[in-house]
Amino acid sequence: MFNRKKKYTSSNLQNVKLKCKLGLALSGGGTRGFAHIGVLKAFNEERIGFDCVVGTSIGSLIGSMYCAGVGTEAIMEEARLVSRREIVSRLWLNSDPSNIERIVNRLLVDKTFDELSLPFAAVAVDINSGSEVVLNSGSVAKAVSASCAVPVLFHPVALEGKLLVDGGLLNNMPADVCRTMGADIVIGVDLDHSRGSGARSQKIKDILVATWTITTKSTMYKGQQNSDIIIEPELQEFNRTSLNNIDAMVAEGYRAAKQKMPEIKKLLGLK
């Protein structure tokens, strides 16, 4: 059983030294984001560390834990314990985003951005002004909850005079933010490179999810232009709102990252 009071940290193996600053951009994609864990596991095995991480939606959730020094196995154990009821209401509409905040804080224990081991930012959108907001100060869990607050499915998060919703509305793979944080090379992870394929049924939840994925198809442009290499797990068979098949999604993220590793290592000047 996962011990929620235990302090987990990532491997203490020394990472290889790079001649550049390496950034990681983790995209949104609903519960398919568990694949991000497998991607991080692959980089840990290669002892390739990042100088900054930026995430949108589920990418911000996984990224925040990584930047706090939480190991991939601990993140997986927590993921297996999360129930749908903890995240959303029974009807999947107008759920409280503080649910996400509580889940993050089970591992991060109210950490602020300044207390993280690595520079991290989460991307959200101010629904009042329609502008992108990069969150990199204050409560990490609050920022993650804002970045994950898909409109209609969740209430907006009120923060510093703004009403914030899911960053995927404008920037679903925020590689450009990694650039502004000083990254010379950026690895992007796209959870849904086949997005925009439509709804699986006429149920309102499926229609809302399909509408969202069609919308975010156009918000990938900045991420694609600012990523040197994009890792693309094959996740089409997995439902974006299901908490089943976590291990399979992690395994697919790991496979996709390993497949790109020769190209990544060549770009980084590693053998």
Side-chain angles (χ1 to χ4, degrees):
M1 176 62 71
F2 183 73
N3 184 351
R4 299 193 188 278
K5 294 183 179 180
K6 182 178 178 181
K7 186 175 182 179
Y8 289 90
T9 57
S10 55
S11 171
N12 59 5
L13 285 175
Q14 186 69 36
N15 287 330
V16 294
K17 291 185 178 180
L18 302 177
K19 296 180 180 180
C20 61
K21 291 187 177 180
L22 182 61
L24 178 66
L26 300 176
S27 80
T31 53
R32 289 177 175 177
F34 293 122
H36 286 319
I37 303 172
V39 171
L40 293 171
K41 180 180 178 181
F43 279 101
N44 284 344
E45 284 186 359
E46 298 289 343
R47 293 167 53 201
I48 296 174
F50 296 93
D51 295 285
C52 64
V53 178
V54 184
T56 293
S57 199
I58 186 67
S60 74
L61 192 154
I62 303 298
S64 69
M65 294 180 178
Y66 175 80
C67 289
V70 181
T72 54
E73 290 302 319
I75 299 173
M76 282 186 65
E77 287 185 50
E78 179 64 23
R80 293 188 188 106
L81 290 176
V82 174
S83 67
R84 188 177 71 172
R85 182 173 293 182
E86 286 185 90
I87 304 172
V88 296
S89 66
R90 185 173 59 86
L91 296 177
W92 284 89
L93 296 174
N94 295 317
S95 297
D96 189 346
S98 65
N99 295 344
I100 299 170
E101 191 174 344
R102 283 191 290 272
I103 291 169
V104 175
N105 270 332
R106 287 208 290 254
L107 283 178
L108 267 59
V109 196
D110 298 315
K111 282 188 183 295
T112 64
F113 281 84
D114 290 339
E115 295 173 310
L116 297 177
S117 303
L118 289 172
F120 168 70
V123 173
V125 171
D126 182 1
I127 201 67
N128 285 335
S129 67
S131 59
E132 180 180 331
V133 179
V134 176
L135 301 168
N136 56 13
S137 63
S139 166
V140 176
K142 177 72 73 175
V144 169
S145 70
S147 184
C148 292
V150 178
V152 181
L153 297 183
F154 289 96
H155 294 300
V157 174
L159 186 64
E160 297 180 355
K162 300 179 178 68
L163 277 180
L164 301 177
V165 297
D166 195 304
L169 195 60
L170 288 178
N171 194 353
N172 201 40
M173 189 172 69
D176 60 311
V177 181
C178 288
R179 299 285 184 192
T180 65
M181 293 173 70
D184 302 306
I185 293 176
V186 179
I187 307 299
V189 183
D190 184 0
L191 296 174
D192 191 8
H193 62 89
S194 65
R195 63 179 52 77
S197 57
R200 296 186 176 187
S201 75
Q202 297 304 303
K203 294 179 181 179
I204 187 167
K205 183 189 74 173
D206 291 333
I207 291 174
L208 286 171
V209 170
T211 301
W212 180 254
T213 57
I214 291 168
T215 299
T216 57
K217 187 173 184 177
S218 64
T219 75
M220 292 295 293
Y221 179 75
K222 284 193 295 184
Q224 292 164 344
Q225 292 297 305
N226 284 278
S227 295
D228 295 282
I229 293 176
I230 301 176
I231 297 169
E232 298 177 325
E234 298 295 339
L235 301 165
Q236 295 91 328
E237 66 179 283
F238 301 110
N239 192 307
R240 297 177 183 88
T241 59
S242 174
L243 290 170
N244 298 323
N245 302 308
I246 290 175
D247 291 282
M249 287 186 278
V250 172
E252 174 54 23
Y254 177 84
R255 183 209 62 80
K258 281 291 192 180
Q259 184 181 54
K260 287 280 187 174
M261 204 58 70
E263 184 181 351
I264 293 168
K265 293 174 77 171
K266 182 178 180 180
L267 181 64
L268 296 176
L270 301 174
K271 294 181 179 180

